[in-house]
């Protein structure tokens, strides 16, 4: 007995000391820290009764083996047909429940949905039940998470159904393995080796996503290449779909609108042309011959150079419906992006998607869902919610969040995005009066949508830890949590992720959770405080660029958005300006249009104000801006201090990795602050307030910086 | 006692069953298989006396910790100041040897060179001694390898000095992280994050290379970007050099010849222009201010579009010497590539490097070494040795081998390259009579060179196992072994690598060693038998392309090299043809020029022969070609069978990975065979001999295949 406990002690030490490259994500299954803990859980990990057989059941068994071998730090395989009556884990569909349980549980069982599960302790047994194999898999992951978090099994009673039907990752991955706006290396999809080589990482990807409820993935860039719809690539896509299927994940592909011309040899892609319609039908039939459960198409049309129905004078609905009619017989859907804006910038870009889509509400087929970014511009560090939410009661809308940090510091900046997602989801659209939150639009309850979905633009690449920054794994995790339940809370997500990924020790989780929860606001502070937006460098979007002006199109510049001059700064989107505000509900117009009630975080998003405008703090606008930048810098330094104290709780490899990224972030926070304050200071002509550090260089220095080979373009 | 041995048994099982992505390469340090083995080695892993302190000594300690924790499967740290007299491992420089040992060993100690080591068992102690810290590190790795191979410590008596001074990897890695001719993902050098983030993989790279004696690395592509010589990038390069230094690895950079114009603002890069000379001197001084032990420059000039001294009517020596003069004060060298050939194809490309360099033998500065590819064309599956070897007694020549498989099936084809390296190194140049092997040219002994070096074009990328194919790790390993000792034997290398990487079990190592040792010849058989060469697809070099013709330059086509017509096939390089053969020693001219004595493996490299020419086997040339192709295909199928039987000896992840690659290889062997035989069959007009399978498609099918997004361009 003594030997065993000693050996367990050593094994625990190993787990901290051993190199950890982060590949295992939140599925670390660290060994139990002592014999008592091990004794408490061991039986439920070794004695298991699984009813049923299917590829998904195989995945469940495999996961329980991996978990047991991790927790117990050995390779004893669980028994999967254990017949005991207590201290066992029983896994099976509700229909297969032993008669005594079924009659006991009857009422509650009806609450379990198609993909939901019930995890319940009952008379010495842990019961995981569901109506589908995938529900059982989700329940199994919930069970293992409760062990990772060292929860008491006797208290288990979790009945959880996803609130959104389609929970999807969007990969902006090109066929040559570059990733548009990807900062964690290159694409994990090795199209060249597919379909003949199935990399273990494809399984690990599906497993990680299934563990947090993802059930769909669009593996190709929305700036699409029609080649992916040719037989050569469909065979490759099929190989991925075959890997994903047992994990409950459907494959979607991006469809280039001009495909009928590019790979079909037609002379037009006009959606009203019968030949074009026929081509999509045949092509879709072909896809389903490869992938019988193909999820459907994701389409970016008439935007940033992509072809679309506008080329033929057709509406977005006419474009979408052709593809929708093609997938309908097979149960597929079309996700049609609302990110449409003119190349000619005739109007505030903020307004264009609304103006384009609002009038065609109800004109889409039933199997079309319009995919709307969280804000009307483009994934800025902070945006007010998109005015389309609440404005299309007759057309299902889905949320598109960006997980990859195109505008939030790329790979190296810690920005836990859950608070940003939560802020948007909990925003009130007032579409049906107070309480009409965006989350209710998205989960379909507000307008009784027939389809519900949420998409996240993935931050996954070939980096050994998947996401570049170790903490960006938390953004992948957080997105999935909101996709499962748009009313999830950031704090719970952060805490769960930290426990699963690092340790359950509160001496670590509490300060680091705090660091995570304030990190998004910190980035807003040092990048775009008080509603500033789109002031990053051109093209690669790396670093500040408030001076960006000129070039092909106004709305790809910074000056278009901040409109700084000696008179002031900010974009007047009230009735005296572009009146984008007019696209929101009257309650919001009133609140945000009034300087007394507009939240300061949206101030310069909607208002153009003089530099000496008085903020609620009593500071002038100029001083307020400067102090926000300074605050962001200071917070970034505090994070370094906080993290430095954590070396006892984290393995050396991840500790150092995070530390160097926090240091880069802090240096770049200074870069943002100094460049932006020097630039805006030219107009304000006011001195920096007390407490704001003087820039080390002059404006010319920052304007001349020209970083090469920035990733993600 | 019973518990302990039982637990060890389980741990062994774990090590097979646990996922192994191959990242640990040949440094697996698998746990000991039973208590007896553990008891035998344990003391020497736990009781260690290291004399000295330095960053390299720290690396040694760290390595011993990793090894002990692997072998003993726990985390007990060795004691590094152990003072016992027996059952200990003593590590220290020869000068620091205890007096009794020093007097005993005196004579032998003098044989240890600058980087060599002596690993010796003496009266209960394992002694690792050397004249430098890096020698101690090499000795430590040798000690750990002997444990991995389960050798008897009492027999240890290995005094080993590297035979070549500079053992260098060349990375054809671009600053945007693409890798020219790279098939294992993208560049592991994340220039964007450097110098501020030091990835753990840089340490792991240095460690792996040090473990097999590499002491230099050129991290940038020979098709060079001058930006790498700017301060921004020098700071990044310095960060890498700082990581590599404790591992005894020097950093080299590729120098673009036109850098004085591109980043220096000069109007010329003429090597005889004083301003240009001054520019290189200042630039080099600047580099040494960043990297005090900078190794020097690697230059590709006047080749395939690269600028060079030809642009100014200067010789290669005049070009090289400018750079050599710049690095000389700092002890640096210039590696000047001999891969120079005209864009106008005025003559057999085979002859051009010789014609360019032979006349300037002796015109180079002492710190220039000319880097010569193993053969005169370009890393073909098989080439006779380059005629420059033996032809430049007054100029140090170094070998350039390609480890990455540009012409040998890219990522998926198993081709263990040691036999190919060995064949070249053991070729007799007859430069100073019989026995003047290429290895003696390279190790400097034939011509008494002042500098010796060997370079290998790396096959390393972001793939989780570093090299794409798990077995391509063996090519990285083998290159390093030959760089250490050009007279190494392929069989020993294969056996050592297999033991370190998979298992010492002969039931695995024997059949798999056989598979490895025959694999290069197998690839030659199904790609380019009997001296055929350069018949691969254009540009990406993926798959067969014997029909490639036309385009900008003749010597980038297949037809230029095989010259197939109804009259026959092959390149007449005898006196009746291009007389490239005339560049070799008279003994070789005689042997290879005569159809009776030319080795059949070089037959069509030097001779143009009719299809019905009789081979030594009695077969016609056509039948011989066809039977070679068929043989290659059959061998590729046998490899699948062999590997399939090995599932008990390999973890599931690597087993499956290798299996799918062997299957791809076998399919592509068929592709090569069918495409080439259909193509050449047009001219031979002879039927396929018995035993050769009929192609499944016609020639047009193969010619139309057009794979997209092939990696490595």
């Amino acid at each position: 007995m003594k030997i065993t406990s000693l050996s367990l002690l050593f094994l625990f030490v190993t787990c901290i000391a051993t190199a950890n490259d982060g590949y295992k994500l939140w599925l670390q299954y660290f060994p139990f820290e002592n014999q008592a803990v091990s004794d408490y859980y061991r039986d439920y990990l070794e004695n298991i009764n699984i009813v049923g057989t299917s590829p998904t059941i195989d995945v469940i068994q495999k996961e329980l083996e991996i978990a047991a071998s991790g927790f117990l730090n050995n390779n004893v395989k669980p028994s999967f047909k254990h017949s005991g009556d207590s201290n066992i884990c029983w896994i099976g569909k509700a229909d297969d429940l032993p008669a005594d349980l079924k009659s006991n549980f009857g009422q509650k069982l009806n609450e379990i949905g198609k993909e939901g599960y019930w995890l319940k302790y009952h008379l010495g047994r842990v019961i995981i039940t569901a109506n589908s194999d995938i529900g059982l898999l989700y329940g199994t992951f919930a069970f293992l998470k409760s062990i990772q978090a060292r929860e008491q099994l006797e208290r288990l009673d979790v009945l959880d159904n996803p609130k959104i039907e389609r929970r999807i990752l969007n990969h902006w991955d090109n066929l040559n393995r570059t990733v548009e706006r990807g900062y964690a290396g290159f694409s994990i999809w090795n199209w060249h080796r597919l379909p003949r080589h199935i990399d273990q990482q494809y399984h690990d990807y599906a497993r990680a996503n299934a563990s947090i409820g993802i059930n769909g993935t669009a593996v190709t860039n929305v700036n699409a290449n029609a080649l992916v719809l040719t037989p050569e690539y469909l065979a490759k896509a099929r190989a991925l779909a075959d890997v994903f299927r047992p994990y409950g994940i459907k494959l979607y592909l991006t469809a280039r609108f001009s495909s009928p011309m590019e790979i079909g040899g037609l002379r037009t892609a006009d959606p009203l042309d019968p030949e074009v319609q026929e081509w999509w039908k045949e092509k879709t039939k072909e896809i389903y011959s490869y992938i019988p459960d193909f999820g459907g198409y994701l389409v970016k049309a008439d935007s940033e150079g992509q072809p679309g129905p506008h080329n033929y004078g057709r509406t977005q609905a006419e474009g979408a419906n052709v593809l929708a009619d093609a997938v309908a017989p097979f149960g597929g859907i079309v996700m049609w992006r609302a990110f449409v804006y003119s190349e000619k910038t005739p109007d505030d870009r903020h307004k264009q998607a609304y103006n384009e889509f609002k009038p065609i509400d109800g004109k889409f087929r039933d199997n079309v869902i319009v995919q709307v970014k969280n804000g009307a511009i483009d994934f800025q560090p902070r945006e007010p919610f998109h005015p389309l939410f609440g404005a299309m009661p007759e057309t299902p809308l889905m949320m598109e969040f960006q997980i990859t940090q195109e505008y939030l510091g790329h790979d190296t900046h810690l920005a836990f995005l859950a608070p940003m997602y939560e802020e948007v989801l909990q925003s009130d659209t007032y579409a049906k009066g107070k309480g009409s939150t965006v989350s209710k639009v998205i989960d379909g309850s507000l307008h009784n949508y027939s389809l519900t979905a949420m998409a996240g633009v993935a931050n996954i690449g070939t980096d050994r830890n998947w996401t570049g920054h170790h903490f960006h794994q938390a953004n992948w995790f957080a997105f999935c949590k909101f996709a499962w339940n748009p009313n999830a809370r950031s704090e719970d997500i952060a805490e769960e992720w930290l426990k699963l990924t690092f340790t359950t020790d509160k001496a670590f989780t509490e300060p680091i959770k705090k660091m995570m929860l304030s990190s998004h606001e910190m980035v807003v502070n040092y990048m775009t405080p008080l509603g500033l937006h789109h002031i990053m460098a051109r093209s690669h979007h790396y670093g500040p660029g408030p001076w960006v002006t000129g070039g092909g199109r106004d709305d790809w510049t910074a000056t278009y958005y901040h409109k700084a001059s000696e008179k002031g700064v900010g974009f007047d989107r009230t009735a005296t300006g572009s009146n984008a505000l007019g696209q929101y509900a009257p309650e919001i117009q009133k609140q945000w249009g009034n300087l007394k009630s507009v939240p300061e975080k949206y101030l310069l998003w909607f208002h153009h104000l003089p530099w000496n405008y008085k903020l609620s703090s009593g500071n002038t606008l100029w001083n307020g801006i400067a102090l926000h930048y300074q605050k962001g810098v200071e917070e970034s330094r505090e994070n370094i201090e906080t993290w430095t104290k954590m070396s006892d709780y984290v393995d050396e490899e991840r500790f150092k990795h995070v530390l160097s990224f926090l240091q880069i972030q802090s240096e770049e926070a200074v870069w943002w602050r100094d460049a932006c304050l020097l630039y805006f200071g030219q107009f304000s002509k006011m001195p920096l307030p007390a407490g704001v550090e003087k820039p080390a260089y002059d404006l010319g220095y920052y304007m001349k910086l020209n970083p090469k080979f920035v990733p993600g373009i």
Side-chain angles (χ1 to χ4, degrees), chain A:
Chain A
M1 195 61 185
K2 204 173 165 193
I3 290 175
T4 323
S5 71
L6 199 74
S7 112
L8 276 165
L9 181 69
F10 286 152
L11 295 167
F12 178 61
V13 176
T14 307
C15 121
I16 295 294
T18 297
N20 189 331
D21 64 11
Y23 184 75
K24 289 188 187 175
L25 296 161
W26 45 83
L27 300 165
Q28 299 277 341
Y29 301 141
F30 294 127
F32 291 128
E33 56 274 29
N34 62 47
Q35 190 64 33
V37 173
S38 182
D39 287 347
Y40 178 68
Y41 291 110
R42 177 185 292 268
D43 284 351
Y44 301 95
L45 288 164
E46 287 185 350
N47 306 328
I48 292 166
N49 189 342
I50 304 189
V51 183
T53 55
S54 75
T56 300
I57 295 291
D58 293 343
V59 166
I60 292 173
Q61 289 203 9
K62 177 93 185 171
E63 192 62 34
L64 288 164
E65 283 173 19
I66 295 171
S69 127
F71 288 134
L72 301 169
N73 201 45
N74 65 25
N75 201 41
V76 183
K77 288 206 179 186
S79 150
F80 290 114
K81 295 291 168 203
H82 199 85
S83 56
D85 250 3
S86 71
N87 285 23
I88 79 159
C89 175
W90 190 94
I91 302 174
K93 280 189 255 191
D95 283 348
D96 296 322
L97 274 170
D100 63 316
L101 294 182
K102 210 186 269 182
S103 60
N104 261 332
F105 292 167
Q107 193 54 25
K108 187 96 176 193
L109 292 175
N110 296 336
E111 295 172 27
I112 309 174
K114 203 173 67 175
E115 291 182 300
Y117 62 85
W118 187 24
L119 171 60
K120 166 76 176 164
Y121 183 88
H122 185 74
L123 299 176
R125 283 178 282 190
V126 170
I127 313 285
I128 302 171
T129 192
N131 293 317
S132 60
D133 287 346
I134 195 66
L136 294 180
L137 178 59
Y138 293 152
T140 301
F141 278 116
F143 167 57
L144 295 173
K145 277 176 206 164
S146 75
I147 297 182
Q148 290 211 74
R150 304 290 184 266
E151 290 171 10
Q152 239 185 298
L153 298 180
E154 291 79 0
R155 292 192 188 166
L156 284 181
D157 186 2
V158 183
L159 196 156
D160 202 5
N161 292 308
K163 306 295 178 296
I164 288 177
E165 184 193 339
R166 308 215 180 206
R167 307 173 297 277
I168 301 176
L169 287 184
N170 286 184
H171 290 263
W172 289 356
D173 291 18
N174 299 311
L175 301 181
N176 68 357
R177 299 190 69 191
T178 57
V179 181
E180 187 168 332
R181 310 310 176 183
Y183 310 106
F186 294 82
S187 174
I188 61 171
W189 315 126
N190 191 322
W191 293 102
H192 177 65
R193 288 185 191 153
L194 283 169
R196 295 183 294 179
H197 176 65
I198 303 301
D199 202 89
Q200 175 62 32
Q201 191 162 16
Y202 306 150
H203 288 277
D204 296 338
Y205 166 89
R207 174 184 164 232
N209 278 310
S211 79
I212 41 178
I214 287 293
N215 68 1
T217 182
V219 291
T220 47
N221 193 354
V222 289
N223 288 323
N225 188 324
L227 274 179
V228 81
L229 304 182
T230 60
E232 186 186 346
Y233 278 87
L234 289 176
K236 297 170 189 280
R238 169 174 56 196
L240 289 178
D242 289 345
V243 170
F244 300 160
R245 191 169 296 111
Y247 298 89
I249 295 171
K250 277 190 183 180
L251 187 96
Y252 298 79
L253 292 173
T254 49
R256 190 165 160 86
F257 199 75
S258 49
S259 299
M261 300 161 73
E262 288 163 16
I263 59 168
L266 303 190
R267 278 175 310 175
T268 178
D270 181 350
L272 299 195
D273 182 294
E275 266 196 286
V276 170
Q277 294 171 356
E278 188 57 26
W279 186 88
W280 280 111
K281 279 187 179 151
E282 285 304 311
K283 175 51 69 182
T284 303
K285 205 167 134 189
E286 186 188 359
I287 296 174
Y288 278 93
S289 77
Y290 283 88
I291 307 168
D293 56 351
F294 175 62
Y297 296 120
L298 166 61
V299 187
K300 173 178 181 175
D302 292 319
S303 175
E304 300 178 339
Q306 292 296 302
H310 280 183
N311 301 142
Y312 309 97
R314 314 300 183 190
T315 69
Q316 299 300 310
E318 286 166 328
N321 290 344
V322 177
L323 277 69
D325 288 343
V327 292
F330 306 97
I333 66 163
V334 170
M335 295 170 288
W336 193 267
R337 290 176 94 233
F339 188 59
V340 173
Y341 62 100
S342 165
E343 287 172 35
K344 303 190 191 83
T345 328
D347 200 354
D348 180 3
R349 182 168 136 196
H350 194 298
K351 296 161 63 181
Q352 295 183 41
Y354 182 100
N355 288 343
E356 174 105 23
F357 281 83
K358 170 78 181 158
I360 50 174
D361 184 23
K363 305 285 188 204
F364 293 88
R365 296 286 187 270
D366 286 347
N367 60 335
V368 175
I369 185 162
V370 173
Q371 182 165 324
V372 185
K373 293 187 184 187
N374 59 282
I377 299 299
D378 190 14
F379 299 131
Q380 292 304 297
R382 164 169 283 130
E383 297 197 28
F385 73 89
H386 200 297
L388 272 175
F389 293 117
M392 294 183 70
E394 304 301 324
T395 307
L397 301 186
M398 63 186 282
M399 174 65 75
E400 179 178 318
F401 281 130
Q402 200 177 38
I403 312 171
T404 189
Q405 294 178 211
E406 177 176 359
Y407 300 100
L408 281 144
H410 294 190
D411 45 350
T412 48
H413 291 218
L414 166 63
F416 179 53
L417 300 180
M420 182 182 86
Y421 300 154
E422 189 177 349
E423 179 176 296
V424 173
L425 289 165
Q426 295 307 324
S427 294
D428 199 334
T429 68
Y430 294 92
K432 289 181 154 187
K434 194 163 161 52
S436 304
T437 58
V438 172
S439 69
K440 287 184 188 165
V441 177
I442 296 308
D443 71 16
S445 59
L446 193 70
H447 303 303
N448 202 17
Y449 287 155
S450 53
L451 276 177
T452 59
M454 195 186 286
V457 181
N459 63 348
I460 293 167
T462 50
D463 269 19
R464 293 186 61 77
N465 68 2
W466 300 84
T467 56
H469 201 310
H470 283 285
F471 275 79
H472 293 182
Q473 295 179 355
N475 291 332
W476 174 7
F477 186 87
F479 164 77
C480 300
K481 288 282 172 180
F482 285 110
W484 182 278
N485 175 12
N487 291 317
R489 291 181 58 236
S490 301
E491 190 177 343
D492 298 341
I493 295 171
E495 180 157 333
E496 183 180 346
W497 179 78
L498 284 168
K499 283 181 178 172
L500 301 178
T501 306
F502 289 104
T503 172
T504 53
D505 196 325
K506 275 187 197 289
F508 176 85
T509 56
E510 287 302 314
I512 300 306
K513 185 171 67 178
K514 199 164 152 255
M515 174 174 100
M516 289 173 74
L517 289 171
S518 60
S519 61
H520 169 255
E521 197 68 43
M522 164 185 69
V523 175
V524 172
N525 278 332
Y526 67 67
M527 282 189 181
T528 55
L530 294 171
L532 286 169
H533 52 286
H534 208 291
I535 57 173
M536 68 290 160
R538 203 193 282 272
S539 172
H540 50 60
H541 302 170
Y542 174 58
W547 47 79
V548 169
T549 194
R553 42 190 306 169
D554 261 9
D555 58 354
W556 284 5
T557 70
T559 52
Y560 173 86
Y561 292 99
H562 63 63
K563 305 197 187 297
S565 72
E566 293 182 20
K567 290 182 189 155
V569 63
F571 198 135
D572 182 3
R573 291 196 168 102
T574 67
T576 60
S578 78
N579 202 23
L581 188 55
Q583 296 179 334
Y584 290 91
E587 292 90 337
I588 294 177
Q589 292 184 37
K590 202 173 146 196
Q591 193 192 346
W592 296 355
N594 187 327
L595 284 172
K596 293 221 173 72
S597 53
V598 62
E600 276 189 355
K601 62 187 177 184
Y602 300 145
L603 189 65
L604 302 176
W605 190 282
F606 288 108
H607 300 274
H608 186 82
L609 296 168
W611 297 105
N612 61 4
Y613 171 80
K614 274 277 185 312
L615 296 170
S616 60
S617 60
N619 286 317
T620 63
L621 175 59
W622 165 250
N623 282 0
I625 289 175
L627 289 165
H628 271 285
Y629 276 106
Q630 179 66 24
K631 185 158 187 275
V633 168
E634 284 168 13
E635 289 174 303
S636 75
R637 290 172 184 155
E638 284 158 23
N639 287 347
I640 296 173
E641 272 183 58
T642 304
W643 185 254
T644 304
K645 291 180 197 141
M646 295 297 134
S647 61
D648 287 349
Y649 305 97
V650 191
D651 51 283
E652 189 184 353
E653 183 168 347
R654 288 190 295 176
F655 177 77
K656 283 188 177 169
H657 194 294
V658 170
L659 182 60
S660 71
F661 275 28
L662 289 176
Q663 284 162 340
I664 293 173
Q665 178 172 29
S666 191
E667 284 178 30
E668 296 190 353
V670 171
W671 175 22
W672 271 92
R673 179 197 65 192
D674 292 352
C676 292
L677 291 182
L678 283 166
Y679 175 81
F680 290 123
Q682 298 177 106
F683 304 110
S684 82
K685 299 189 190 299
M686 293 159 81
L688 289 174
V692 177
E693 294 156 356
K694 265 188 72 168
Y697 305 95
D698 66 8
L699 180 61
Y701 168 85
Y702 296 103
M703 289 178 68
K704 262 183 277 181
L705 287 179
N706 181 18
K708 310 291 189 312
F709 302 117
V710 179
I713 306 182

